[in-house]
Amino acid sequence: MKLAVAGKGGVGKTTLTVWLADWLQRNGHEVWLVDADTALSLGPALGLPENEIPTALVQQKELIENRVGSGGFINMNPYVDDLPDKLGIKVRGMRLLVMGTIAGAGGGCGCAPNALLKKFITHLVLQRSQSLLIDLEAGVEHLGRGTVASVDGLLVVSEPSMRGLKTAETISRLAYDLGLKNQVLALNKTAEDFDFPENLALPPLAACIPRLISLEKRQVQSASVLDLEERDFIDVQCKEILSYFQ
Ligand SMILES: Nc1ncnc2c1ncn2[C@@H]1O[C@H](COP(=O)(O)OP(=O)(O)OP(=O)(O)O)[C@@H](O)[C@H]1O
Ligand SMILES: [Mg+2]
């Protein structure tokens, strides 16, 4: 199963990505995680200390130059088959790939880091059999790149706010237009009796997760979102979300 996780900034994309990955790993799946955000917060959310987080792929100048070239000659089809094993670091039985993103690059950018990033993600999605979860940057820009469109499903995360839900709607429509029709919505940090505003075209609601006090308390000390006392409840939500993609 290969999923991308998207939504407005700060709604819980990284948190849900880690919860899903952890559930899959504990249930016997081989899990690969891709951090495709500029903030690079997936490692810390897995409990990885800052000094163990590898340099993001988009910042590895030498590697980019080796694979893609520089100056006027850019290989738009670089060799990447060896990169998952070379760059993926082991965390809690999973593999983390820190890719980063190209800020402001836009859909049509042909710059070298983007060429490598695009080919790498496409390789992971199309050539690898492991479970893959891609934590995307906030917003919708990445959906135009043509890489994310080939995943099996999209988890759209929102808070119970008009802005969050409007962004969710935009992301959902864009992904749908790109052919990514298998989508679900997870509402995070929400009250159970939340009334959806009318006239929003949103994916089916797969999970409602309340604001977890234990996580809020934890975040003052640590960025990890794992091993919470609510794990059984989180597991049920993860199972429900993943059931939509099977
Ligand atoms: N259900 C929850 N209860 C309490 N706190 C939560 C919950 N979900 C996420 N958080 C907290 O909210 C903050 C934002 O979450 P997270 O980093 O997962 O969002 P994001 O959408 O990935 O943000 P960004 O757009 O910056 O990448 C974090 O501090 C996280 O611990
Ligand atoms: Mg994030």
Side-chain angles (χ1 to χ4, degrees), residues 11-200:
V11 293
K13 299 178 292 297
T14 302
T15 303
L16 268 151
T17 304
V18 168
W19 286 345
L20 288 167
D22 181 55
W23 188 89
L24 284 165
Q25 194 275 334
R26 282 186 283 113
N27 284 276
H29 294 255
E30 202 182 324
V31 181
W32 287 72
L33 281 156
V34 171
D35 194 342
D37 190 1
T38 21
L40 305 180
S41 47
L42 200 48
L46 286 157
L48 209 61
E50 291 288 343
N51 61 352
E52 288 180 31
I53 296 168
T55 308
L57 175 82
V58 296
Q59 285 157 5
Q60 296 198 31
K61 282 195 177 134
E62 205 175 315
L63 177 71
I64 293 166
E65 215 170 296
N66 277 341
R67 300 293 166 110
V68 188
S70 58
F73 296 99
I74 286 181
N75 176 7
M76 295 304 283
N77 190 21
Y79 181 69
V80 295
D81 297 21
D82 59 330
L83 293 184
D85 294 315
K86 263 193 185 142
L87 303 182
I89 62 159
K90 287 198 181 111
V91 193
R92 295 180 65 124
M94 301 175 261
R95 294 275 228 139
L96 170 67
L97 286 161
V98 179
M99 301 234 190
T101 194
I102 318 291
C109 174
C111 58
N114 215 16
L116 191 59
L117 190 73
K118 205 165 171 170
K119 178 74 193 300
F120 196 175
I121 293 183
T122 308
H123 170 81
L124 288 167
V125 174
L126 300 178
Q127 309 292 330
R128 294 269 168 157
S129 58
Q130 295 94 345
S131 293
L132 181 73
L133 289 159
I134 308 176
D135 182 19
L136 296 169
E137 65 186 318
V140 294
E141 189 267 340
H142 47 266
L143 288 171
R145 285 196 197 129
T147 49
V148 171
S150 45
V151 294
D152 305 320
L154 179 72
L155 171 64
V156 186
V157 184
S158 180
E159 289 173 344
S161 70
M162 185 52 103
R163 276 185 58 212
L165 290 167
K166 282 256 182 217
T167 307
E169 185 187 43
T170 308
I171 288 171
S172 169
R173 192 180 49 240
L174 233 111
Y176 198 89
D177 290 346
L178 289 167
L180 181 45
K181 303 198 164 129
N182 210 2
Q183 310 177 356
V184 299
L185 175 71
L187 209 54
N188 189 25
K189 309 184 196 180
T190 185
E192 246 178 56
D193 56 356
F194 174 70
D195 271 335
F196 273 90
E198 281 172 26
N199 302 325
L200 286 177

